[in-house]
């Protein structure tokens, strides 16, 4: 069994068509308020509003993190 990373309830993943759906132990679909709030708080950035230096900084951070994860394995 898996646990929800937001509320730590025990859930099971089932496949409905091509989509994975979290299901609680009583058979209902798991819908977590904490997850909904976290998804609503995400910020979308349009690439045209960023300078080339900022884009390079984000790309370097992503690449550095990928290299760190590669070294751990």
């Amino acid at each position: 069994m898996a646990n929800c990373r937001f509320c730590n309830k025990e859930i099971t993943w089932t496949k409905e068509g091509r989509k994975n759906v979290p299901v609680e132990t009583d058979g209902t679909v798991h819908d977590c308020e904490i997850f909904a709030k976290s998804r609503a708080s995400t910020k979308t950035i349009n690439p045209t509003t960023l300078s080339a230096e900022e884009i390079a900084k984000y790309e370097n951070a992503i690449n550095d993190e990928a290299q760190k994860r590669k070294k751990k394995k």
Side-chain angles (χ1 to χ4, degrees), residues 12-23 27-30:
T12 305
W13 291 95
T14 59
K15 192 96 167 166
E16 288 184 10
R18 295 177 60 194
K19 185 176 180 184
N20 291 327
V21 178
V23 178
T28 60
V29 175
H30 179 68

Side-chain angles (χ1 to χ4, degrees), residues 1-2 7 9-12 14 18 24-26 28 30 32 36 38 40 42 50-52 55 57-60 70-71:
M1 292 283 189
C7 66
K9 275 191 175 180
E10 195 170 299
I11 58 173
T12 305
T14 59
R18 295 177 60 194
E24 293 183 8
T25 54
D26 61 356
T28 60
H30 179 68
C32 183
S38 69
T42 58
L50 296 174
S51 67
I55 293 173
K57 181 180 80 172
Y58 285 120
E59 287 177 349
N60 288 334
K70 246 185 185 177
K71 287 181 183 178

Side-chain angles (χ1 to χ4, degrees), residues 30-58:
H30 179 68
D31 190 24
C32 183
E33 280 187 40
I34 300 167
F35 174 64
K37 286 181 183 177
S38 69
R39 191 180 336 162
S41 69
T42 58
K43 184 169 127 179
T44 305
I45 299 173
N46 190 353
T48 58
T49 62
L50 296 174
S51 67
E53 294 85 25
E54 288 177 309
I55 293 173
K57 181 180 80 172
Y58 285 120

